[in-house]
Every structure is written in structure tokens, then in C-alpha cells.
Amino acid sequence: MNFGVTRKKQEELEARMAALGLREADLEEKYVRSSGPGGQNVNKTASCVYLKHIRSGLEVKMQRERSQGLNRYYARKRLCELVEQERMGSKSPAALKAEKIRKQKQHRKRRSKAKRKVRGDKGGKY
């Protein structure tokens, strides 16, 4: 199967799918017309990919790129993320990344409040 990505990326995706137990036979794939930017190309070709994992019922619709091959790759990648989230919950890579970002924002907010306190600002508008 060729998605129009490098061999390394394709092998990584296949390994990830195998680790999660996702098989191509369990996937239902449809192609629909895209919308949005891309001009005439997306208006006349079915480059948007709809992917459904039959066993879990998870669905993905991807129209990130103008080419169908790349959208097929990204749809499978997103499906892997969703399966990981469902199985691992708060221990999934996506959840851990979100938690890290939340903590960073919280830390920045505390530092900003501390700076305003030192300067005597009330934090209001102008």
C-alpha cells in the first residue's frame, strides 16, 4: 500500500497499527468530495477519506491535504491515536501531551500573577 509518504513513515504506521491490533481487513474506507481550500482540485476529485474501524466503531474523516494518498495516511494515523486513547485513557500519548501543556500554561499564569503583584498592577484593562 502506497500513501505517498516516505518508506520510514509508512513502516512506522504499519508497525503502530500492528501493535494496536488494527488490520486493513477491519477497516471500511470511503472517498468523498472535499470542501474548503484547494480550488478546482478538491471540487472535482474525491480526496477526502472516511475511515471506519468495524470492530470498535471508531470513525475518522480526513481532508487535511489535497491528495487522497496523504489523507489515507493521516486518517490511519488519527485512527491509531483514537484507539490508543480509548484503550489507555489518561496514559495515552495524546492525553500525556495535553496534560503537559495544561501544566505549562498553569505555570505561566502563576508567574504572570507573581510579576503583577511585585509591580503593583491589578491585572485589569488599561
Side-chain angles (χ1 to χ4, degrees):
M1 185 172 308
N2 188 14
F3 298 121
V5 293
T6 62
R7 188 175 225 29
K8 183 181 175 188
K9 282 186 176 182
Q10 189 164 336
E11 288 171 357
E12 286 173 359
L13 177 66
E14 289 169 358
R16 190 174 180 188
M17 287 177 69
L20 291 170
L22 296 175
R23 298 179 312 154
E24 286 294 324
D26 296 337
L27 300 178
E28 180 183 311
E29 193 171 34
K30 295 179 189 173
Y31 307 105
V32 291
R33 288 233 171 107
S34 295
S35 62
Q40 188 176 7
N41 183 60
V42 297
N43 294 334
K44 66 180 184 180
T45 61
S47 58
C48 181
V49 176
Y50 168 82
L51 197 61
K52 181 177 181 179
H53 186 240
I54 298 167
R55 292 185 180 202
S56 65
L58 292 172
E59 299 175 353
V60 174
K61 188 175 180 183
M62 187 62 63
Q63 60 178 24
R64 189 168 158 183
E65 299 291 333
R66 285 173 60 176
S67 79
Q68 190 182 76
L70 281 175
N71 285 331
R72 291 178 71 208
Y73 169 78
Y74 287 125
R76 281 166 174 74
K77 193 172 175 181
R78 178 69 181 137
L79 185 66
C80 288
E81 292 170 3
L82 291 175
V83 169
E84 282 177 345
Q85 263 185 324
E86 190 176 84
R87 290 186 186 166
M88 301 169 94
S90 62
K91 301 291 182 196
S92 70
L96 293 174
K97 187 176 179 182
E99 180 66 17
K100 180 181 177 182
I101 290 170
R102 188 188 65 75
K103 284 182 180 179
Q104 286 174 344
K105 285 182 178 181
Q106 190 177 33
H107 182 66
R108 283 189 203 119
K109 187 177 177 183
R110 273 197 218 123
R111 279 185 24 211
S112 176
K113 276 187 178 180
K115 277 185 181 179
R116 283 195 308 243
K117 207 175 207 181
V118 169
R119 290 188 307 198
D121 291 352
K122 297 199 178 188
K125 287 197 173 193
Y126 311 99

